[in-house]
Amino acid sequence: MDKSITHSAPARAAYLGGLGIAVGGAVLFSTKAIVAKLLYRYHIDAVTLIAFRMLFSLPVFAAIALWKMRTQPPLSNADRLRLIGMGLVGYYLSSFLDFLGLQYITVGLERLILFLTPTFVLLISSTVLKQHISRKQWLALLTSYCGIVFVFLHDLQGGGNVALGATLVTGSAAAYAIYLLLSGEMVKRLGTLRLVSYAMCVSSAACIGQFFLLRPVSMLVQPLPVYGLSLVNGLLCTVAPVLMTMVAVERIGAGVASQAGMIGPVSTLFLGALLLGEPVTSWQLGGTALVLAGIYLLSKK
């Protein structure tokens, strides 16, 4: 028997397993928009929604943070301040703007706008860090933004505050892009799991504290489905995708994992049609294809 075959079979199985984990993580993370729309049917607002999400996800991230605190060297004061800032920008502000925007736009448009995060990273790097953008990258940006315009113009025909919702979600994507730029150097020193767990704890404290400042304690009493959907939102749509993406990156590399994440907008589009009754039109399919093509070009770079 050829030894190369015996060696390649386990490697191929591990690669396909990592790819499957990456796809699963992308689909679960994208599903949070679906869950949010279902929660809004129970007449709760974004402040309450995000507080319940963090209440269910906080115990897991707090346990990971405590474990890392006991097994890793202590943080410097400068790193603590950076982590507080990153948690507030990357997970609190970004998530809050996202859930606010979801009150006004379809899940398909929301996911496409959030998928533009790499383009915001590129634009911020160009304007603030003075990094050069190549012709191929400009083409990728143009392709992606044309796709967003397609879907946005289509959704405008349905009425409502689509422009407001799109603006809020664009702010969410920009905030997360800033978080990614700030986290680059710290990830190398602290590791992804430690960084994410600390930042999520900061974000959870902000979201839960915001709830108690702005809403009466009686708002914690909700119909049973709200608790069930919030549990799904906190564990399956927040904790699980973070851990699955990390495992996938370890197995197949960040490049392939990010390309596997392109299934997210597509899955959101069809899940929105299946679970929320949102129509899938040729405009949306065409816009989604353009956005995915643009991000694919960037990922190849």
Side-chain angles (χ1 to χ4, degrees), residues 1 50 54 73 80 95 112 162 166 174 181 215 219 259 270 274 277 285 287 296:
M1 184 180 291
I50 197 171
M54 293 309 191
R80 289 192 183 98
S95 295
L112 285 181
V162 176
L181 285 169
R215 300 290 181 268
M219 288 286 290
Q259 290 178 28
F270 289 101
L274 181 66
L285 292 173
Y296 179 76

Side-chain angles (χ1 to χ4, degrees), residues 15-300:
Y15 178 83
L16 291 176
L19 193 60
I21 292 171
V23 169
V27 171
L28 284 176
F29 190 69
S30 299
T31 306
K32 72 178 175 66
I34 308 288
V35 175
K37 285 285 193 181
L38 293 173
L39 280 165
Y40 282 139
R41 292 180 177 179
Y42 292 91
H43 307 292
I44 67 172
D45 58 13
V47 172
T48 307
L49 188 152
I50 197 171
F52 273 94
R53 178 199 189 200
M54 293 309 191
L55 279 169
F56 284 109
S57 63
L58 176 59
V60 179
F61 288 117
I64 296 172
L66 286 172
W67 167 49
K68 288 295 182 181
M69 286 173 65
R70 293 181 178 181
T71 57
Q72 301 289 328
L75 295 173
S76 66
N77 289 332
D79 279 345
R80 289 192 183 98
L81 290 174
R82 289 191 194 99
L83 279 168
I84 291 172
M86 289 164 58
L88 292 177
V89 172
Y91 290 112
Y92 163 68
L93 180 61
S94 177
S95 295
F96 188 48
L97 291 174
D98 181 29
F99 287 127
L100 280 174
L102 269 169
Q103 296 176 102
Y104 309 109
I105 62 176
T106 62
V107 294
L109 178 56
E110 179 261 2
R111 181 50 37 186
L112 285 181
I113 294 174
L114 287 185
F115 209 64
L116 292 178
T117 297
T119 71
F120 286 114
V121 172
L122 186 63
L123 290 173
I124 294 171
S125 298
S126 172
T127 55
V128 178
L129 305 179
K130 306 301 181 183
Q131 293 183 1
H132 173 68
I133 297 182
S134 68
R135 186 177 299 177
K136 182 179 178 182
Q137 288 173 317
W138 278 118
L139 176 62
L141 290 173
L142 180 63
T143 304
S144 295
Y145 288 115
C146 281
I148 290 295
V149 170
F150 259 55
V151 180
F152 177 73
L153 291 176
H154 169 271
D155 285 11
L156 272 180
Q157 299 170 10
N161 291 318
V162 176
L164 173 60
T167 301
L168 289 167
V169 177
T170 300
S172 170
Y176 196 70
I178 293 170
Y179 163 79
L180 290 176
L181 285 169
L182 293 175
S183 67
E185 180 268 336
M186 289 190 72
V187 166
K188 296 174 184 176
R189 290 191 292 108
L190 303 181
T192 306
L193 188 56
R194 190 182 188 190
L195 180 67
V196 169
S197 63
Y198 286 1
M200 285 299 290
C201 287
V202 171
S203 172
S204 298
C207 294
I208 297 167
Q210 174 183 254
F211 173 83
F212 285 112
L213 280 173
L214 301 179
R215 300 290 181 268
V217 178
S218 60
M219 288 286 290
L220 289 173
V221 180
Q222 296 289 340
L224 189 60
V226 171
Y227 299 121
L229 288 168
S230 296
L231 181 64
V232 170
N233 198 15
L235 296 183
L236 289 183
C237 302
T238 305
V239 175
V242 167
L243 299 180
M244 290 171 74
T245 301
M246 290 178 57
V247 172
V249 168
E250 186 178 345
R251 290 192 179 188
I252 61 178
V256 178
S258 67
Q259 290 178 28
M262 291 183 182
I263 193 68
V266 180
S267 68
T268 304
L269 197 63
F270 289 101
L271 282 173
L274 181 66
L275 300 177
L276 303 174
E278 293 184 354
V280 179
T281 66
S282 56
W283 281 69
Q284 289 173 315
L285 292 173
T288 300
L290 285 172
V291 172
L292 294 181
I295 301 300
Y296 179 76
L297 287 173
L298 281 184
S299 69
K300 297 296 287 184

